[in-house]
Amino acid sequence: MADPPVTTKHERILILEDWNFFHIKGGHAKEGGGQMNFKHKKRKKNNADINVHGAIGGDEKVILETNLKTCRKYSSETLSCFIDRELTEKEYSAIEEHLATCLECKNIINTYQSLEGHFTAGMTSALSSMDTARLKSRIMAGTDGENLNRQNTVKEPTDSGFSPSEPWKDIIRKLLHGKQPFFSNQFFNTRKFYLQLTSVAAIILVSISMIYLQKEPSFSGGPSAIITSVDGDISSVMILETQEEKHTIIWYKEV
Amino acid sequence: MGFKVVTQAHGKTGEQELIHQLKQGNRQAFEDLVDQYQHRLLAIACGITLDREESLEIVQDVFISVHRNIHNFRGEAGLMTWMRKITVNMCLNWKRKWTRRFKWSHHSIETDQGHFITEVETGNETPESSYMNREFETLVMEKVSLLPEKFRSVFVLKTLENISYEEIGQTLGIKTGTVKSRLHHARKLLAESMQMKTKVQ
């Protein structure tokens, strides 16, 4: 094969097949990469992502050179499929037989496989320096307390003994845990806000229940029974009820 | 080839049992899931995003997503297939500007004569050849990072996971023919950029 003339205007590294002359019309390529239209002697028009050094404009002839050439019996794309066994058995056997005598095609196969081997090894090395133990801790912490089985539509009994007939206690429990911020505003995501909101909510609920029951708020002496208690991340709430008057006392403590 | 050798093989029966335990809310089963698959998912994320911190966050989000949605998992495809797809989607939707923050070395591996190292010794490595191999790996990683994302995604999935073109296509939402073309293009770009020649043994 005769040596193609070398352009002296610019140096280009364009990755395409074999020896080809390209008459580049129009288009602009930014330095370092881009996309441009060019004319191919075999095809009418083609687009490609290319690496370029310097801008290209107007009509320029560019020499394309590749170090890896097939023997022309099989394209490099076919050989790429051969590596991945994405050919029919018949095609695979034919290429396998061909590789026994064709150094050019064998070179391409070895090159592609070598690149992948080095990439895998390089990735292994890179990952070894990453803190996967900490990643695991974050994952486990991020999923702590979440219920995997969401098909259960009945409210689950919790350790605090909430029953479905008292949903307001469940609300307090969720607020105390504070895992899921319900406002997107950063101000409302603070734990302090949860604590204040919890106490306000508890007071409102107690007041409503007192008004509903038309009882005057008076306190009697005597032992109280703990109805329920809830321990959250930032505070604990205990709900007590006096024995005789059945007054509800809500006591909370910041942890 | 591929990261599958890192993960212990999980027979079909074993995976079905794991899925069952996960759906039951078994915390230990979830921890086993993380132990088995986090490295593979991290490798995929790193290969596509090229961002160490982002990859860690993505993998964390993947497992949290799996934790929340396991009850919806029908098991028609394998667990790893499902998690791989979630990982790839998160990587491709990564909105931040792509930068090379992965701490790969960038110095060249020219010899004293100014030639690039092209031969790769295998077996019976001397300290010098071992050093050269590490440097070569670094250069390959750098060249991979320069690939356009659409080529790099396919290359990463094929190289690290060794899955079929069809499965790569399903993961990325592209046709099998497109996978074939992009993978070939990625390999060719890498080989040419490395100016590689290899000896035929």
Side-chain angles (χ1 to χ4, degrees):
Chain A
M1 185 184 293
D3 289 337
V6 178
T7 178
T8 56
K9 230 178 181 181
H10 302 278
E11 287 186 3
R12 298 283 180 263
I13 302 176
L14 296 175
I15 312 304
L16 284 169
E17 295 178 7
D18 300 326
W19 299 101
N20 285 294
F21 291 96
F22 286 78
H23 193 129
I24 301 171
K25 279 192 171 180
H28 295 281
K30 291 180 185 176
E31 186 155 355
Q35 189 170 36
M36 61 183 296
N37 298 327
F38 57 86
K39 213 171 188 180
H40 189 300
K41 73 173 184 180
K42 290 179 184 175
R43 287 164 288 188
K44 282 185 183 176
K45 208 174 186 184
N46 203 353
N47 296 330
D49 289 331
I50 55 174
N51 295 320
V52 297
H53 301 264
I56 296 178
D59 296 344
E60 291 187 24
K61 284 190 179 176
V62 179
I63 300 300
L64 304 173
E65 180 176 339
T66 175
N67 291 329
L68 288 179
K69 299 189 293 289
T70 68
C71 66
R72 293 183 183 268
K73 184 171 182 180
Y74 297 103
S75 69
S76 54
E77 185 171 295
T78 303
L79 296 178
S80 176
C81 293
F82 170 85
I83 292 171
D84 303 323
R85 296 199 79 111
E86 293 276 351
L87 299 169
T88 63
E89 283 300 319
K90 191 178 175 184
E91 288 170 326
Y92 190 87
S93 301
I95 294 177
E96 211 170 22
E97 194 179 321
H98 173 75
L99 289 175
T101 54
C102 180
L103 293 182
E104 284 167 313
C105 291
K106 186 75 177 166
N107 246 349
I108 290 177
I109 298 283
N110 287 348
T111 301
Y112 290 172
Q113 289 178 326
S114 174
L115 278 170
E116 294 187 357
H118 281 94
F119 176 70
T120 303
M123 187 57 80
T124 305
S125 298
L127 285 178
S128 64
S129 67
M130 295 177 74
D131 193 352
T132 51
R134 186 163 171 264
L135 170 63
K136 182 182 169 183
S137 298
R138 282 163 58 179
I139 292 168
M140 301 311 291
T143 53
D144 189 22
E146 285 196 3
N147 180 17
L148 273 175
N149 187 2
R150 292 186 188 275
Q151 286 182 329
N152 186 3
T153 54
V154 177
K155 278 193 197 283
E156 288 186 354
T158 66
D159 291 339
S160 57
F162 285 144
S163 65
S165 62
E166 294 175 305
W168 61 270
K169 293 181 181 176
D170 197 36
I171 294 171
I172 294 175
R173 177 180 66 84
K174 285 180 182 173
L175 289 173
L176 285 173
H177 280 287
K179 289 293 183 188
Q180 295 294 334
F182 47 89
F183 287 117
S184 59
N185 188 320
Q186 191 62 33
F187 172 76
F188 294 108
N189 284 350
T190 60
R191 290 184 167 187
K192 210 62 172 168
F193 172 76
Y194 284 139
L195 183 62
Q196 293 163 357
L197 185 64
T198 305
S199 55
V200 168
I203 291 168
I204 290 172
L205 285 165
V206 169
S207 302
I208 290 172
S209 65
M210 283 181 173
I211 292 169
Y212 180 72
L213 293 172
Q214 294 180 343
K215 295 265 183 181
E216 287 188 8
S218 62
F219 298 95
S220 64
S224 302
I226 298 175
I227 299 299
T228 190
S229 65
V230 178
D231 292 317
D233 289 340
I234 53 175
S235 62
S236 298
V237 170
M238 196 180 295
I239 301 173
L240 306 99
E241 190 175 84
T242 56
Q243 195 172 13
E244 291 182 4
E245 299 291 328
K246 302 297 180 189
H247 290 132
T248 303
I249 302 169
I250 297 175
W251 172 90
Y252 80 87
K253 173 187 167 186
E254 194 171 357
V255 174
Chain B
M1 179 88 62
F3 265 72
K4 281 187 176 176
V5 294
V6 177
T7 308
Q8 284 194 355
H10 214 52
K12 206 167 185 179
T13 309
E15 178 161 303
Q16 286 173 351
E17 177 59 27
L18 177 64
I19 293 168
H20 175 71
Q21 291 299 324
L22 289 170
K23 290 186 174 184
Q24 294 296 313
N26 188 324
R27 192 86 177 134
Q28 185 59 49
F30 183 71
E31 196 168 334
D32 291 344
L33 181 77
V34 174
D35 285 335
Q36 280 185 27
Y37 294 108
Q38 68 167 340
H39 289 90
R40 281 173 70 178
L41 298 181
L42 197 54
I44 293 170
C46 287
I48 295 177
T49 65
L50 304 173
D51 188 310
R52 190 190 298 264
E53 291 306 318
E54 194 64 33
S55 300
L56 288 166
E57 289 204 24
I58 284 173
V59 172
Q60 181 182 342
D61 288 345
V62 168
F63 278 109
I64 291 174
S65 175
V66 167
H67 187 275
R68 287 178 183 162
N69 296 295
I70 190 67
H71 59 284
N72 289 329
F73 180 65
R74 291 178 209 160
E76 291 163 355
L79 263 177
M80 183 59 199
T81 302
W82 181 43
M83 292 193 293
R84 187 191 300 127
K85 188 153 191 181
I86 299 172
T87 305
V88 169
N89 283 340
M90 286 191 180
C91 292
L92 297 179
N93 290 330
W94 179 42
K95 296 297 181 187
R96 290 169 60 185
K97 192 178 178 183
W98 172 69
T99 54
R100 280 188 291 145
R101 284 161 54 176
F102 223 87
K103 302 293 182 190
W104 294 337
S105 171
H106 295 301
H107 57 269
S108 66
I109 50 168
E110 289 184 46
T111 64
D112 292 338
Q113 289 76 34
H115 301 298
F116 279 102
I117 299 294
T118 55
E119 293 180 25
V120 178
E121 300 286 341
T122 55
N124 298 322
E125 284 188 338
T126 63
E128 185 186 30
S129 64
S130 175
Y131 170 77
M132 289 301 182
N133 269 338
R134 301 293 89 75
E135 293 295 302
F136 199 71
E137 284 166 17
T138 302
L139 189 61
V140 169
M141 299 284 277
E142 182 180 332
K143 296 302 178 184
V144 170
S145 74
L146 290 172
L147 288 173
E149 186 185 77
K150 62 180 182 181
F151 298 130
R152 192 173 68 253
S153 311
V154 175
F155 179 81
V156 164
L157 283 173
K158 184 60 191 172
T159 306
L160 297 181
E161 290 290 296
N162 200 21
I163 50 179
S164 69
Y165 288 1
E166 187 181 353
E167 197 165 350
I168 293 173
Q170 287 170 355
T171 303
L172 294 171
I174 57 178
K175 294 178 183 174
T176 306
T178 308
V179 173
K180 180 171 78 170
S181 169
R182 288 184 183 177
L183 180 59
H184 165 245
H185 204 72
R187 284 168 169 163
K188 198 165 185 185
L189 280 171
L190 283 173
E192 293 294 341
S193 67
M194 298 286 293
Q195 298 187 45
M196 284 183 67
K197 297 173 189 174
T198 56
K199 267 188 182 174
V200 177
Q201 300 284 331

